Amino acid sequence: MQGFRRVLATDPAHAYAEAWWPPGHTIGFEHTFIHETVELMQAIAEDRPAVPNFNDGVKCQQVQEAVDLSIAERRWVRIEEL
């Protein structure tokens, strides 16, 4: 229950800050999809692999499965490298 509960991604250091409103104003879940679309379109235009890619998705799924198992078994779960 300790630690940050909200991360504001409108700080000037954020990669997409200039595309949105002034610092301190929150952006929502839906804005993530706009950022993903921009990344995909830029990757296509620059003829480079898109990021995140399938391997990034697999790693994310491993973390989610480890969290579920950790909760169910009430123990730490090690995530093996791909």
Side-chain angles (χ1 to χ4, degrees), residues 1-80:
M1 300 304 294
Q2 295 178 345
F4 296 106
R5 297 191 190 271
R6 178 179 292 180
V7 176
L8 293 178
T10 56
D11 184 89
H14 187 274
Y16 296 101
E18 65 187 34
W20 299 105
W21 25 90
H25 292 78
T26 59
I27 59 176
F29 177 74
E30 69 278 9
H31 298 96
T32 299
F33 299 103
I34 295 169
H35 299 165
E36 289 173 352
T37 301
V38 168
E39 288 293 328
L40 176 62
M41 300 309 278
Q42 287 177 344
I44 292 170
E46 296 168 7
D47 195 29
R48 62 175 172 79
V51 176
N53 58 32
F54 181 80
N55 288 332
D56 296 323
V58 169
K59 291 175 184 177
C60 184
Q61 186 62 37
Q62 285 179 316
V63 170
Q64 292 174 349
E65 289 175 4
V67 168
D68 287 343
L69 184 59
S70 178
I71 292 168
E73 297 184 1
R74 300 182 59 84
R75 66 176 182 89
W76 287 103
V77 175
R78 183 177 187 85
I79 301 172
E80 300 300 322

